[in-house]
Amino acid sequence: MADTANCRSVICFFSQFQLTKNELAEMPEQKKKSTRTDADSPSKSSRNSKNSNPKIRIYFLAGFLLLWLCAIGYRLVVLQVVRYGEFTQRASRQQQRTVEVSPRRGVIYDRNGHELAMTINVDSVFAVPSEIPDQANAASLIAQVLKVEPKEILAKIQGSRNFSWIARKLDAEDSNRIRALSLKGIYFQKESKRFYPKRELAAQVLGYVGLDDEGLGGIERSFDEQMRGRPGKMLVSVDARQRSLGRVEKQPESGQSIVLTIDEKIQYIAERELDRAMAESHAEAGTVVVQNPHTGEILALASRPTFNPNAFRTSTPQALKNRAVSDIYEPGSTFKIVTLSAALEEKLTRPDEVIDCQMGSIMVFGRKVHDHKPFGNLTVSQVLQKSSDVGAIKLGLRLGDQRMDQYIRAFGFGTQTGLELPGETRGMAKPASRWTKSSIGSIAMGQEVGVSSVQLVSMASTIANDGVYTPPRIVAGSIAPRATLQTVVFKPAQQRRVVSPLTAVEMKRMLEEVVLFGTGKKAILDGYTSAGKSGTAQKIDPATGRYSATKYVASFAGFAPVAQPAVTISVMLDSPQGEHHGGEVGGPLFGRVAQQVLAYMNVPHDADVKNSQRLMIRASAKQSDFSEGSPDRLSGEVDAADIVTAETSATPAITPAAAKKEADRARVIAASFTPAKQQTTPAPQPAKQIDTPAAAPVPTPTRGTVILDAGNGPVAPALLGKSVRSAIETAQNAGIEIDVVGSGVARAQAPAAGERVPPGTRVVVKFAR
């Protein structure tokens, strides 16, 4: 093995020697000498090998440095390019604090441009905790001004190192006191604060806002998005030691302003009179709604109890509620307007038809109902005047479930009106398919149905507007935040016809008679005619689920003047003490509001001012004149005489005494139409027709229609079948003016041909093609 190894070494040596020899032949002479010398001298070769080692190390170090630079470059690319956004955000969160600055909220105006809700600039206090040398002392001083616990302020300061709110939207007094302390690290920022200059006026309509200007009620909530605008920003920058480096602010954009249909003067009248009525009656709550019957504009909407929106946090939930929109109650006898209008429109009765009220008692499918007093024979007009439940039930039975339900919904009950306020109720109106057999009797007199005050005023406005329903609206429009004056044009919502103009005119006449001769005598106005209906409904006792014998809802709905209504008003008093009938407590409230509103609106008088006869009727009204409804809703036994069907036709004759009494009433009506002698503006003639009885006894026709004599008034001519021109000429020749409804040929007229009418009364003629 040793020999073999030696042989390999010799071969390797000669191989190397041969290679060196060949290379020497090709190299220059000088290099040959050097190579030969190196080959001959092993010690020199060893030294040269040692000299080449530093070069290798240099190459290795250079390669290492190159790799290191590549790694650093890669890391820089990752930090500065790939993850740049992430680290920028992290740095911003550490170095800056962005605070949202509230925008200037839009103004709420009334219809005349008066500001009802506005935004003012106030001071908010914030702290940069890192700049406060003695946080406990600063917290104690600020707490004394704000009248809070020092630990509460200290907790806010210690909650952050670079920014914390101390108190927002302070009043001027507290702001100045904190500013006078000159505390280091405590700063002030201007913010917008909502302010209601009229305090409680229209509080439930306007609503209120929270600390961050978020609408929490009323118009403020309904139009929150449009009124808020776009918030601004405040950037607070700090260094590595959390020292403030300054602030950068971006101004907010103001929101849109809202213009209401409310008139602040009419709103004040409504609220003042409602407060007076509640103080006199000791009612728990109440509402007043004033509406333009032709356009649906809500001119005033008052609700009690109320609150100050500038300090709403101290108010009770009951005060924050808008009862005119969200509360429902049984309307009672005011709902008879729907019943009688439907019956007249369907030609199931006439205003002068005599109804046998069966001495105030009727049985409807096993349920016995009593009137508040025993009535015998009453005309349909008198059924409304005296608020006979029996008479209303008989007319309801003629209508039937389906037709009654259709008119209920046509008048706007059972659905939201679309009023621009939050929390509006639909009311309570079950479809006819869910009625019991006795429901038609209950609903005809205003039970088993729930309405809101806004729905009730819309019902009265439908009659005042010649049978056309106009949805109520409380917002006229919105305007952009500009310095120049702008005009807002109100556009009524889509209207629909509920009853014909002829039916509406007949209802106007009957509702005026309710005021003059029935339960609404306290609603008689001085210098103006008025029409309306009172209602008294028992409340449901939550404990028993039955009607209460002591709790009532008194209401009144009407309009004035009668011929050309300018306003419609509904009032409601919840649980009045003592006098509780709608005519007793609701009628005077309606009268006071209507009298002042008409004078404020400069509506021309259509009746004598200080008319002694009219004022005498109002002053001499007795408590018994206002009675309506009855707590006696159910009875045990059924008498055969109490059973009634829709075809009941008993029509006994009117007695001479009753005819004389009706004649006296007719003279009062005619006197009320006498134009005032001292008027700067001519009073318009009322577009009315009134059936007035003669003083002498009148025989009763066999079919129950009583034709009454109007004394010396002109006789209505026969106009049916005539054209518009021919009808006008014929009426002028007879000394009568007519109201033209429609076009084409005369199809109906009221009063009928041959009837005498009081002087000044117009004949309504309906034309159709």
Side-chain angles (χ1 to χ4, degrees), residues 547-602:
Y547 287 105
S548 171
T550 58
K551 296 288 187 179
Y552 298 88
V553 174
S555 59
F556 193 97
F559 48 86
V562 176
Q564 298 176 348
V567 292
T568 305
I569 303 171
S570 74
V571 304
M572 183 276 291
L573 293 173
D574 185 1
S575 303
Q577 304 299 313
E579 296 180 349
H580 60 271
H581 291 104
E584 285 178 301
V585 294
L589 175 56
F590 167 90
R592 292 195 298 266
V593 173
Q595 189 77 53
Q596 296 176 65
V597 170
L598 292 174
Y600 165 73
M601 297 175 64
N602 294 319

Side-chain angles (χ1 to χ4, degrees), residues 159 402 410 642 696 705 714 738:
Q402 295 299 330
D642 293 328
T705 300
I738 67 172

Side-chain angles (χ1 to χ4, degrees), residues 346-374:
E346 294 295 324
K347 296 180 172 49
L348 299 175
T349 188
R350 298 174 303 280
D352 54 3
E353 180 187 357
V354 176
I355 302 291
D356 180 14
C357 294
Q358 304 178 181
M359 298 310 294
S361 179
I362 188 173
M363 179 64 65
V364 183
F365 298 106
R367 181 184 178 191
K368 193 172 186 179
V369 179
H370 295 84
D371 270 329
H372 55 278
K373 63 176 66 173

Side-chain angles (χ1 to χ4, degrees), residues 109 139 191 199 228 256 261 302 322 433 454 607 670:
Y109 297 98
E191 283 197 291
R199 296 172 60 85
R228 292 191 73 172
Q256 294 182 352
T261 61
N322 190 342
S433 58
V454 171

